[in-house]
Amino acid sequence: PGLPGGCCSRGAPSLRALPFLFLVAALLGMLPLLHSHGLQSDPVMASEPPHHYPAVISGNEPGDITAAPLGVSQEISPLPNHSSPGHAKNRKAFPVLGIDYTHVRIPFEISLWILLACLMKLGFHVIPSVSSIVPESCLLIVVGLLVGGLIKGVGESPPILRSDIFFLFLLPPIILDAGYFLPLRQFTENLGTILIFAVVGTLWNAFFLGGLMYAVCQISGTGLNDIGLLANLLFGSIISAVDPVAVLAVFEEIHINELLHILVFGESLLNDAVTVVLYHLFEEFANFEQVTVTDIILGFLSFFVVSLGGVFVGVIYGVIAAFTSRFTSHIRVIEPLFVFLYSYMAYLSAELFHLSGIMALIASGVVMRPYVEANISHKSHTTIKYFLKMWSSVSETLIFIFLGVSTVAGRHYWNWTFIISTLIFCLIARVLGVLGLTWFINKFRIVKLTPKDQFIIAYGGLRGAIAFSLGYLLDYEHFGMRDMFLTAIITVIFFTVFVQGMTIRPLVDLLAVKKKQETKRSINEEIHTQFLDHLLTGIEDICGHYGHHHWKDKLNRFNKKYVKKCLIAGERSKEPQLIAFYHKMEMKQAIELVESGGLGKIPSAISTVSMQNINPKALPVKRILPALSKDKEEEIRKILRNNLQKTRQRLRSYNRHTLVADPYEEAWNQMLLRRQKARQLEQKINNYLTVPAHKLDSPTMSRARIGSDPLAYEPKSDSGNLPIITVDPASPQSPESVDLVNEELKGTSCLPPSPEEDEEGLVMRVKDPSSPGTDDVFTPGAGDSPSNQRIMRCLSDPGPQPEPEEGEPFIPKGK
């Protein structure tokens, strides 16, 4: 208080350290309570003596310890008669107050862990210097390591991330958030590439890694000779899949472009089916005495059952959710619940039959979103969006923290040969798989994947908690090397998250990889996108090629004609897509205007009311369409059927045998031939008229020429009767650039040309411009007589040979 200036000067550092003070306070508060076994203690440690909380003394014997449910039942039992002997009980100083931690232990500890996760996330984003260097996932794993070490340091057993807790409670919010807000256009346009990376790439990684690790185990002196082929293949299937949680955590921070993000993230989502099939397949094969060919074929078919079955379950629940949201207009409060519950039920139903729960969640989110958003209110849409973002963020944070805690708590078996070989072979398999598959994919892609893109795809193959949880599910009875597998899995996870996750940002900047551009969609962009879609669909129909644009158009027509009418309530089912997008853009701009405080600048009487709460009571006036009679309508349809071209008729191929003969085709061909001959004539004439002048002879040669023939070089005085070549300066390259005018007189008079006229040469004059709208090639003019055509043919013949009809050259030499 005495130094206010000093306190103010140190205010900024204290604010930055505030999240860490919260963390220290939370940890200190958890210390006396952390002897609980968290989510689950390690089964290996089950033989250790259990740690008990402070005893709750019952009325039977002093020192008896009762569990929380028993204590509760005793509290609600009838009060004993204290006046009778044998029922003496210690009096409390305050009869109402007491400590009963066992009653609130589980929810209290869950709340503490969530609070710890939120404080860590807050501290990470408050200090920008840390977030710019270290990814958030790396920092959360470090926090988990510190918390696990602190819990173990005080003599307690740290909690371990149990597999059922991970798969049933922590993973679904992350996958639902990714599936519900999946960029559907980029995903469908690159679906073939994503499926190749997810299916073929994962199979390649699993068998390549499992085969090489089996070869390593056969080396004598490594101590790994007891690990068979099936165990190595099972380990390869666990460690080969790219983790969606780790990819989301890293790729959202570096803001990579949409193509690379959807390729890597889509691969991490769709490879779940391959991972589930291979995991359960090799786990079952490990119990068999002999694996037959029938078992292998059934295992191959089970991949299609698991993947397509998960998609089918998700589609069913998505349609049910969309249909339910049609009737929620009178009770808007429960609208978000239907989205969460139906999605979670889809995941649980898929897991019930060992189908792919991740693909069921993605399918349900993709199917229900367009119809649910058309039915629910804007407030419900905002609730769904932020609730999903919140729970996915909290789940992701808890997963990485418990990875660090479980690393400290679990039992490990370190084998240098096995772990280093696993790490090296994982990197080699990923690089070779991406290079080979990209070489094949680029043969069919219009937008090729560049070497920079291939490097980012290979470098972004991160492993995460899914591999750890699958390894934790292994049974000690059939897999005695479980501890060594878990140690190798954790090593690969830490290497990919720390090394690759921390270096991918500077590598992206160094390679100048294109990043995501934050641009707002406009109505102009939407119009042009739909126009190009319709144009490409029409081109495919005309060519007889049924590509993905054709099937996309078919699906949109079916959706508009049948599905929308069943799943969307009211007039929204008939609203065009462009109008719906325009309404969405208007609402978004209005909300941004309200949040920015710009509504007060607009002269309006409702400037203080949020535009989200405005419900116009007056119904919009419908546009009055002119009523047509049935006869008139049928007449219009008949005219359209008879005159419009049927573009959707099925043709075998686009060739000359399947086209209808055109009666004017021969006339058009004759016209094209005439034009071609006119162009050839134009080219020949231009070549002769544009020949450069001869070089001047030397004085000796000039005197010799004049001496040999003085009359040939004597200047002529009379040039009035010379033949004239008129040149059009506006278009010197056109076929009408040469017009022999005075030769018509020579053609009408049947007299042969006089020698004097022939010796006078040619005079160049400018031609008058032709009137607009006339065709100078096909319209006969004044100079199109046979004599003029004869002269033009002679001029166009460069050879010394005369014409077949003529006996002497066109311009004879002087006699």
Short mmCIF file of all heavy atoms in Angstrom, two decimals, residues 149-183:
data_model
loop_
_atom_site.label_atom_id
_atom_site.label_comp_id
_atom_site.label_asym_id
_atom_site.label_seq_id
_atom_site.Cartn_x
_atom_site.Cartn_y
_atom_site.Cartn_z
N GLY A 149 4.22 -37.73 -11.82
CA GLY A 149 5.38 -37.82 -10.94
C GLY A 149 5.11 -37.27 -9.56
O GLY A 149 5.58 -37.82 -8.55
N LEU A 150 4.31 -36.21 -9.48
CA LEU A 150 3.97 -35.64 -8.18
C LEU A 150 3.11 -36.60 -7.37
O LEU A 150 3.31 -36.76 -6.15
CB LEU A 150 3.25 -34.31 -8.39
CG LEU A 150 2.93 -33.47 -7.15
CD1 LEU A 150 4.21 -33.07 -6.44
CD2 LEU A 150 2.13 -32.23 -7.53
N ILE A 151 2.15 -37.23 -8.04
CA ILE A 151 1.29 -38.19 -7.32
C ILE A 151 2.11 -39.39 -6.85
O ILE A 151 1.95 -39.87 -5.72
CB ILE A 151 0.14 -38.65 -8.25
CG1 ILE A 151 -0.77 -37.46 -8.58
CG2 ILE A 151 -0.68 -39.75 -7.59
CD1 ILE A 151 -1.84 -37.79 -9.59
N LYS A 152 3.01 -39.85 -7.69
CA LYS A 152 3.83 -40.99 -7.29
C LYS A 152 4.84 -40.60 -6.22
O LYS A 152 5.25 -41.43 -5.39
CB LYS A 152 4.54 -41.54 -8.52
CG LYS A 152 4.97 -42.99 -8.39
CD LYS A 152 5.36 -43.58 -9.74
CE LYS A 152 5.63 -45.06 -9.61
NZ LYS A 152 5.94 -45.69 -10.91
N GLY A 153 5.25 -39.33 -6.23
CA GLY A 153 6.21 -38.88 -5.24
C GLY A 153 5.65 -38.83 -3.84
O GLY A 153 6.40 -38.98 -2.85
N VAL A 154 4.34 -38.65 -3.71
CA VAL A 154 3.73 -38.61 -2.38
C VAL A 154 3.29 -39.99 -1.92
O VAL A 154 2.62 -40.11 -0.89
CB VAL A 154 2.53 -37.64 -2.37
CG1 VAL A 154 2.97 -36.23 -2.66
CG2 VAL A 154 1.45 -38.08 -3.34
N GLY A 155 3.67 -41.02 -2.70
CA GLY A 155 3.39 -42.38 -2.26
C GLY A 155 2.06 -42.93 -2.71
O GLY A 155 1.61 -43.94 -2.16
N GLU A 156 1.42 -42.31 -3.66
CA GLU A 156 0.13 -42.80 -4.15
C GLU A 156 0.31 -43.39 -5.54
O GLU A 156 1.30 -43.15 -6.23
CB GLU A 156 -0.89 -41.65 -4.20
CG GLU A 156 -1.08 -40.93 -2.88
CD GLU A 156 -1.70 -41.82 -1.82
OE1 GLU A 156 -2.36 -42.80 -2.21
OE2 GLU A 156 -1.55 -41.54 -0.62
N SER A 157 -0.69 -44.17 -5.97
CA SER A 157 -0.65 -44.76 -7.31
C SER A 157 -1.41 -43.84 -8.26
O SER A 157 -2.60 -43.61 -8.07
CB SER A 157 -1.30 -46.14 -7.29
OG SER A 157 -2.64 -46.07 -6.83
N PRO A 158 -0.76 -43.32 -9.30
CA PRO A 158 -1.43 -42.40 -10.23
C PRO A 158 -2.52 -43.12 -11.02
O PRO A 158 -2.46 -44.33 -11.23
CB PRO A 158 -0.31 -41.91 -11.14
CG PRO A 158 0.95 -42.24 -10.43
CD PRO A 158 0.66 -43.48 -9.63
N PRO A 159 -3.53 -42.40 -11.45
CA PRO A 159 -4.59 -43.03 -12.27
C PRO A 159 -4.07 -43.33 -13.68
O PRO A 159 -3.17 -42.66 -14.18
CB PRO A 159 -5.69 -41.97 -12.30
CG PRO A 159 -4.98 -40.68 -12.09
CD PRO A 159 -3.81 -40.98 -11.20
N ILE A 160 -4.65 -44.33 -14.29
CA ILE A 160 -4.27 -44.74 -15.64
C ILE A 160 -5.49 -44.58 -16.53
O ILE A 160 -6.62 -44.85 -16.12
CB ILE A 160 -3.76 -46.20 -15.65
CG1 ILE A 160 -2.43 -46.27 -14.89
CG2 ILE A 160 -3.58 -46.71 -17.06
CD1 ILE A 160 -1.84 -47.66 -14.84
N LEU A 161 -5.24 -44.14 -17.74
CA LEU A 161 -6.32 -43.96 -18.71
C LEU A 161 -6.87 -45.32 -19.11
O LEU A 161 -6.25 -46.06 -19.87
CB LEU A 161 -5.79 -43.21 -19.94
CG LEU A 161 -6.81 -42.90 -21.04
CD1 LEU A 161 -7.93 -42.03 -20.50
CD2 LEU A 161 -6.14 -42.22 -22.21
N ARG A 162 -8.04 -45.64 -18.58
CA ARG A 162 -8.65 -46.93 -18.88
C ARG A 162 -9.23 -46.91 -20.28
O ARG A 162 -9.75 -45.89 -20.74
CB ARG A 162 -9.75 -47.23 -17.86
CG ARG A 162 -9.92 -48.69 -17.58
CD ARG A 162 -10.82 -48.93 -16.41
NE ARG A 162 -12.22 -48.71 -16.76
CZ ARG A 162 -13.22 -48.79 -15.88
NH1 ARG A 162 -12.95 -49.03 -14.61
NH2 ARG A 162 -14.46 -48.61 -16.26
N SER A 163 -9.17 -48.02 -20.96
CA SER A 163 -9.55 -48.06 -22.37
C SER A 163 -11.03 -47.80 -22.57
O SER A 163 -11.43 -47.09 -23.51
CB SER A 163 -9.18 -49.42 -22.97
OG SER A 163 -7.78 -49.59 -22.95
N ASP A 164 -11.90 -48.38 -21.70
CA ASP A 164 -13.32 -48.16 -21.90
C ASP A 164 -13.70 -46.71 -21.60
O ASP A 164 -14.60 -46.15 -22.23
CB ASP A 164 -14.13 -49.12 -21.04
CG ASP A 164 -13.75 -49.05 -19.57
OD1 ASP A 164 -12.76 -48.35 -19.26
OD2 ASP A 164 -14.42 -49.68 -18.74
N ILE A 165 -13.00 -46.06 -20.65
CA ILE A 165 -13.25 -44.63 -20.41
C ILE A 165 -12.86 -43.82 -21.64
O ILE A 165 -13.58 -42.89 -22.04
CB ILE A 165 -12.46 -44.15 -19.17
CG1 ILE A 165 -12.95 -44.88 -17.92
CG2 ILE A 165 -12.58 -42.64 -19.00
CD1 ILE A 165 -14.36 -44.57 -17.53
N PHE A 166 -11.75 -44.18 -22.25
CA PHE A 166 -11.31 -43.44 -23.43
C PHE A 166 -12.27 -43.62 -24.60
O PHE A 166 -12.71 -42.65 -25.22
CB PHE A 166 -9.90 -43.90 -23.82
CG PHE A 166 -9.44 -43.39 -25.15
CD1 PHE A 166 -9.01 -42.07 -25.29
CD2 PHE A 166 -9.44 -44.20 -26.27
CE1 PHE A 166 -8.60 -41.59 -26.52
CE2 PHE A 166 -9.02 -43.73 -27.50
CZ PHE A 166 -8.60 -42.42 -27.62
N PHE A 167 -12.61 -44.87 -24.91
CA PHE A 167 -13.42 -45.13 -26.10
C PHE A 167 -14.89 -44.76 -25.92
O PHE A 167 -15.57 -44.43 -26.89
CB PHE A 167 -13.32 -46.61 -26.49
CG PHE A 167 -12.05 -46.96 -27.19
CD1 PHE A 167 -11.10 -47.76 -26.59
CD2 PHE A 167 -11.78 -46.47 -28.46
CE1 PHE A 167 -9.92 -48.08 -27.23
CE2 PHE A 167 -10.60 -46.77 -29.11
CZ PHE A 167 -9.67 -47.58 -28.50
N LEU A 168 -15.40 -44.78 -24.69
CA LEU A 168 -16.82 -44.53 -24.49
C LEU A 168 -17.14 -43.09 -24.10
O LEU A 168 -18.28 -42.64 -24.32
CB LEU A 168 -17.38 -45.47 -23.41
CG LEU A 168 -17.34 -46.96 -23.74
CD1 LEU A 168 -17.92 -47.77 -22.61
CD2 LEU A 168 -18.08 -47.25 -25.03
N PHE A 169 -16.17 -42.36 -23.54
CA PHE A 169 -16.50 -41.02 -23.03
C PHE A 169 -15.61 -39.91 -23.59
O PHE A 169 -16.09 -38.80 -23.79
CB PHE A 169 -16.42 -41.02 -21.49
CG PHE A 169 -17.35 -41.97 -20.84
CD1 PHE A 169 -16.89 -43.13 -20.24
CD2 PHE A 169 -18.72 -41.74 -20.82
CE1 PHE A 169 -17.74 -44.03 -19.64
CE2 PHE A 169 -19.59 -42.63 -20.22
CZ PHE A 169 -19.10 -43.78 -19.63
N LEU A 170 -14.34 -40.19 -23.82
CA LEU A 170 -13.43 -39.12 -24.25
C LEU A 170 -13.33 -39.00 -25.77
O LEU A 170 -13.23 -37.89 -26.29
CB LEU A 170 -12.03 -39.36 -23.66
CG LEU A 170 -11.93 -39.30 -22.14
CD1 LEU A 170 -10.49 -39.53 -21.70
CD2 LEU A 170 -12.41 -37.96 -21.61
N LEU A 171 -13.35 -40.10 -26.48
CA LEU A 171 -13.21 -40.05 -27.93
C LEU A 171 -14.46 -39.60 -28.69
O LEU A 171 -14.33 -38.84 -29.66
CB LEU A 171 -12.76 -41.43 -28.45
CG LEU A 171 -12.42 -41.53 -29.94
CD1 LEU A 171 -11.27 -40.60 -30.29
CD2 LEU A 171 -12.10 -42.97 -30.32
N PRO A 172 -15.69 -40.00 -28.31
CA PRO A 172 -16.87 -39.59 -29.10
C PRO A 172 -17.06 -38.09 -29.29
O PRO A 172 -17.42 -37.67 -30.39
CB PRO A 172 -18.04 -40.22 -28.32
CG PRO A 172 -17.45 -41.40 -27.65
CD PRO A 172 -16.05 -40.99 -27.29
N PRO A 173 -16.86 -37.23 -28.27
CA PRO A 173 -17.05 -35.78 -28.55
C PRO A 173 -16.10 -35.25 -29.62
O PRO A 173 -16.50 -34.40 -30.44
CB PRO A 173 -16.78 -35.12 -27.19
CG PRO A 173 -17.02 -36.17 -26.19
CD PRO A 173 -16.60 -37.45 -26.83
N ILE A 174 -14.86 -35.74 -29.66
CA ILE A 174 -13.90 -35.26 -30.66
C ILE A 174 -14.33 -35.70 -32.06
O ILE A 174 -14.31 -34.91 -33.01
CB ILE A 174 -12.50 -35.80 -30.32
CG1 ILE A 174 -12.06 -35.31 -28.94
CG2 ILE A 174 -11.48 -35.37 -31.36
CD1 ILE A 174 -10.77 -35.89 -28.46
N ILE A 175 -14.74 -36.95 -32.21
CA ILE A 175 -15.14 -37.46 -33.53
C ILE A 175 -16.45 -36.82 -33.97
O ILE A 175 -16.62 -36.50 -35.16
CB ILE A 175 -15.25 -38.99 -33.49
CG1 ILE A 175 -13.92 -39.60 -33.02
CG2 ILE A 175 -15.62 -39.53 -34.86
CD1 ILE A 175 -12.74 -39.23 -33.87
N LEU A 176 -17.40 -36.62 -33.07
CA LEU A 176 -18.66 -35.98 -33.44
C LEU A 176 -18.44 -34.54 -33.89
O LEU A 176 -19.06 -34.08 -34.86
CB LEU A 176 -19.64 -36.03 -32.27
CG LEU A 176 -21.00 -35.37 -32.51
CD1 LEU A 176 -21.71 -36.01 -33.69
CD2 LEU A 176 -21.87 -35.45 -31.26
N ASP A 177 -17.57 -33.82 -33.20
CA ASP A 177 -17.27 -32.45 -33.62
C ASP A 177 -16.64 -32.44 -35.01
O ASP A 177 -16.97 -31.59 -35.84
CB ASP A 177 -16.33 -31.81 -32.58
CG ASP A 177 -15.88 -30.43 -33.01
OD1 ASP A 177 -16.74 -29.58 -33.28
OD2 ASP A 177 -14.66 -30.21 -33.09
N ALA A 178 -15.75 -33.38 -35.26
CA ALA A 178 -15.12 -33.44 -36.59
C ALA A 178 -16.09 -33.87 -37.67
O ALA A 178 -16.07 -33.35 -38.79
CB ALA A 178 -13.92 -34.40 -36.54
N GLY A 179 -16.98 -34.82 -37.38
CA GLY A 179 -17.93 -35.29 -38.38
C GLY A 179 -19.06 -34.32 -38.64
O GLY A 179 -19.52 -34.18 -39.78
N TYR A 180 -19.55 -33.66 -37.60
CA TYR A 180 -20.69 -32.74 -37.77
C TYR A 180 -20.29 -31.51 -38.57
O TYR A 180 -21.07 -31.01 -39.38
CB TYR A 180 -21.22 -32.34 -36.39
CG TYR A 180 -22.57 -31.63 -36.43
CD1 TYR A 180 -23.74 -32.36 -36.58
CD2 TYR A 180 -22.65 -30.26 -36.34
CE1 TYR A 180 -24.97 -31.73 -36.61
CE2 TYR A 180 -23.88 -29.61 -36.38
CZ TYR A 180 -25.03 -30.36 -36.52
OH TYR A 180 -26.25 -29.72 -36.57
N PHE A 181 -19.09 -31.01 -38.35
CA PHE A 181 -18.61 -29.82 -39.06
C PHE A 181 -17.59 -30.19 -40.14
O PHE A 181 -16.70 -29.39 -40.45
CB PHE A 181 -17.99 -28.83 -38.08
CG PHE A 181 -18.97 -28.32 -37.05
CD1 PHE A 181 -18.94 -28.80 -35.76
CD2 PHE A 181 -19.92 -27.38 -37.39
CE1 PHE A 181 -19.84 -28.34 -34.81
CE2 PHE A 181 -20.82 -26.91 -36.46
CZ PHE A 181 -20.79 -27.40 -35.16
N LEU A 182 -17.70 -31.39 -40.69
CA LEU A 182 -16.77 -31.83 -41.74
C LEU A 182 -16.99 -31.01 -43.01
O LEU A 182 -18.14 -30.84 -43.46
CB LEU A 182 -16.99 -33.31 -42.02
CG LEU A 182 -16.02 -33.99 -42.98
CD1 LEU A 182 -14.65 -34.13 -42.34
CD2 LEU A 182 -16.55 -35.35 -43.39
N PRO A 183 -15.93 -30.45 -43.63
CA PRO A 183 -16.09 -29.77 -44.93
C PRO A 183 -16.44 -30.78 -46.00
O PRO A 183 -15.57 -31.43 -46.60
CB PRO A 183 -14.72 -29.11 -45.16
CG PRO A 183 -13.77 -29.88 -44.32
CD PRO A 183 -14.54 -30.39 -43.15
#
